[in-house]
Amino acid sequence: MGTVICMAQDAAMITVIGIGADGVDGLSVRSRRELQRASVIFGSLRQLELLAEESLTAECRLWPSPLLPALSTMFDDLGDVHVLASGDPMLHGIGTTLTRLYGARRVHVFPHVSSVSLACARMGWAVNDVEIISLVNAPVDSARRYGGRAVVLSRNANTPGELARSLTDSALGASQLTVWEQLGGATERSFGGVARHWDHPPGDALNVIAVEYVPAEDVATLALVAGLPEDVFEHDGQITKREIRAVTLASLAPRPGQRLWDVGAGSGSVAIEWCRSGAGCRASAFEIAPPRRAAIAVNATRFGADIEVFDSAPQNFEQATAPDAIFLGGGVTQPGLLDACWSHLPAGGRLVVNAVTAESEALLLQWYSRHGGELRRYRVEDAAPLGGFTSWRSRLPVTQWSAEKPMSDVFPQAGHP
């Protein structure tokens, strides 16, 4: 959570006006009235140029660069200010940033039709059936999907070509891309094609991409529920098996926008399944072995998962983004590691620990006795030939402890669970 700037009763208001490529002509009467009464208007050069033919008395100011560090103080002593935003300011726009920073009571938003809605209207797609992916501040590989449709918000004119190459590199080269430029404006145009045959030069920087994902015939369409087969991951055998991974994700109970710490990540399979579970889910993976860290990076790229990778734990906990949940799948008996995980877990966060040795099981029993939660043992049996018959072969049982950290909790001292 970011810091919200406290608002005095007489604090100046920030009014955010969404504007499309059609400029002032596309604004509602109320939005135009807001601009008429404005004294200071902030926006990008492209946005401010859309007001060139409008007779306004306001002083127009360009956004500073970099923008985010300046936002907390740039409106000081200006009184009420107005801000221009592209389309819907609350859809990956400046409206969400300002509301998070100043609070909803101080920020008034007048949305325009979003580029996503316009693209869906042009494509004949239902907006509620389409995934929205922003590449404005994310790597292009994060837009890989193994089925369905998406509207992708581009960073610049090069994004369509970069996305086509990324999809081709991940067995999605048959996917159909349609680029929409200057949506709603007088110079609106579209072009498209199949990812693997993409040969269009970069066009307008203001564009979105409608994508229909088509996996290669020899690539199974991956299920959205947890429990992907092990062979879809790069790994050296150090991987949480699919059945245990499925119950582990159920115990972690991910929610949209949350972050997981995967400690002793191995191949990163749990972190990747977490990222696939909901919109905006992210992970931090901690793995001491360099080859396994390399495998995590390969798997994250393959699945378009947003994962930051660190080496030793708990030494690098302070460098990682704070978690909402933690999974400890390796190194349970490492002195102080379980304590460190618990102390870094926020109130209301969940900790899930898997163990296979008697020593690690004994440690989990101690923590269960002190903190409660749920302690379970899972055993999986596989059918295997026995002579001319079939018998059952048991895998090593996995003991799992899961607990939610109370809102008020005394952190255990290191070495004393």
Side-chain angles (χ1 to χ4, degrees):
M1 293 292 292
T3 301
V4 177
I5 298 176
C6 295
M7 180 180 72
Q9 289 188 348
D10 59 347
M13 301 303 298
I14 302 169
T15 302
V16 186
I17 306 294
I19 191 168
D22 50 356
V24 176
D25 290 342
L27 293 179
S28 67
V29 173
R30 191 171 182 185
S31 292
R32 296 185 72 163
R33 286 175 179 168
E34 283 293 328
L35 292 175
Q36 290 290 342
R37 75 174 188 86
S39 56
V40 178
I41 300 175
F42 285 90
S44 67
L45 178 60
R46 179 186 62 80
Q47 292 162 347
L48 293 174
E49 286 178 342
L50 295 173
L51 306 180
E53 297 181 3
E54 191 78 354
S55 56
L56 301 176
T57 59
E59 175 190 356
C60 293
R61 297 189 183 185
L62 287 173
W63 289 120
S65 181
L67 174 59
L68 291 181
L71 277 179
S72 61
T73 57
M74 65 181 296
F75 301 138
D76 292 355
D77 303 322
L78 289 180
D80 290 351
V81 297
H82 287 67
V83 169
L84 289 180
S86 295
D88 185 348
M90 303 304 290
L91 181 65
H92 294 285
I94 189 66
T96 57
T97 304
L98 292 174
T99 301
R100 184 171 61 248
L101 188 61
Y102 289 97
R105 291 178 55 200
R106 187 174 173 185
V107 181
H108 287 174
V109 179
F110 294 84
H112 192 271
V113 179
S114 71
S115 57
V116 171
S117 293
L118 289 173
C120 287
R122 302 294 191 268
M123 298 295 298
W125 295 352
V127 178
N128 50 287
D129 291 336
V130 171
E131 183 176 0
I132 302 168
I133 304 172
S134 175
L135 296 182
V136 176
N137 293 303
V140 70
D141 292 339
S142 65
R144 292 175 175 175
R145 298 293 186 272
Y146 289 86
R149 293 170 170 172
V151 173
V152 178
L153 309 180
S154 292
R155 181 196 301 264
N156 53 39
N158 296 319
T159 303
E162 293 171 355
L163 178 58
R165 287 190 292 274
S166 176
L167 296 179
T168 301
D169 292 343
S170 56
L172 291 164
S175 300
Q176 180 73 37
L177 278 64
T178 304
V179 179
W180 293 93
E181 297 179 345
Q182 292 287 334
L183 270 169
T187 59
E188 177 184 313
R189 75 166 186 137
S190 70
F191 55 91
V194 176
R196 70 164 64 96
H197 301 308
W198 195 261
D199 59 358
H200 298 282
D204 196 286
L206 186 65
N207 72 83
V208 299
I209 313 164
V211 185
E212 295 184 83
Y213 293 101
V214 181
E217 291 183 2
D218 58 343
V219 176
T221 300
L222 300 176
L224 295 178
V225 296
L228 295 175
E230 287 85 55
D231 59 9
V232 303
F233 297 100
E234 184 84 15
H235 67 93
D236 61 359
Q238 186 70 15
I239 184 172
T240 304
K241 299 301 186 288
R242 63 186 302 183
E243 297 85 359
I244 301 302
R245 198 181 327 122
V247 296
T248 297
L249 265 293
S251 297
L252 286 167
R255 298 178 179 88
Q258 290 191 329
R259 176 174 292 274
L260 172 74
W261 280 7
D262 186 354
V263 182
S267 65
S269 61
V270 171
I272 286 169
E273 297 256 31
W274 170 280
C275 291
R276 298 179 77 242
S277 67
C281 284
R282 299 172 173 83
S284 303
F286 300 84
E287 173 54 56
I288 195 169
R292 291 174 181 166
R293 291 201 301 273
I296 294 171
V298 169
N299 290 326
T301 298
R302 180 178 298 167
F303 288 94
D306 188 350
I307 301 177
E308 53 182 14
V309 183
F310 300 91
D311 48 21
S312 55
Q315 290 84 349
N316 285 293
F317 280 0
E318 300 301 330
Q319 282 70 52
T321 307
D324 298 287
I326 298 177
F327 170 61
L328 179 55
V332 178
T333 57
Q334 178 182 327
L337 181 56
L338 192 46
D339 299 86
C341 290
W342 187 258
S343 66
H344 283 80
L345 190 69
R350 293 189 64 79
L351 175 63
V352 176
V353 187
N354 287 356
V356 295
T357 68
E359 290 80 5
S360 56
E361 282 187 347
L363 187 60
L364 294 190
L365 181 59
Q366 295 178 43
W367 279 74
Y368 171 68
S369 299
R370 176 167 183 176
H371 295 284
E374 297 172 337
L375 188 65
R376 294 189 174 95
R377 176 177 285 182
Y378 297 101
R379 185 187 301 273
V380 178
E381 297 182 341
D382 299 297
L386 180 63
F389 299 91
T390 301
S391 66
W392 294 102
R393 303 286 176 86
S394 294
R395 302 182 198 169
L396 283 174
V398 176
T399 299
Q400 182 181 98
W401 175 62
S402 60
E404 184 173 300
K405 190 170 183 178
M407 298 306 291
S408 59
D409 184 79
V410 178
F411 294 161
Q413 298 299 312
H416 298 280

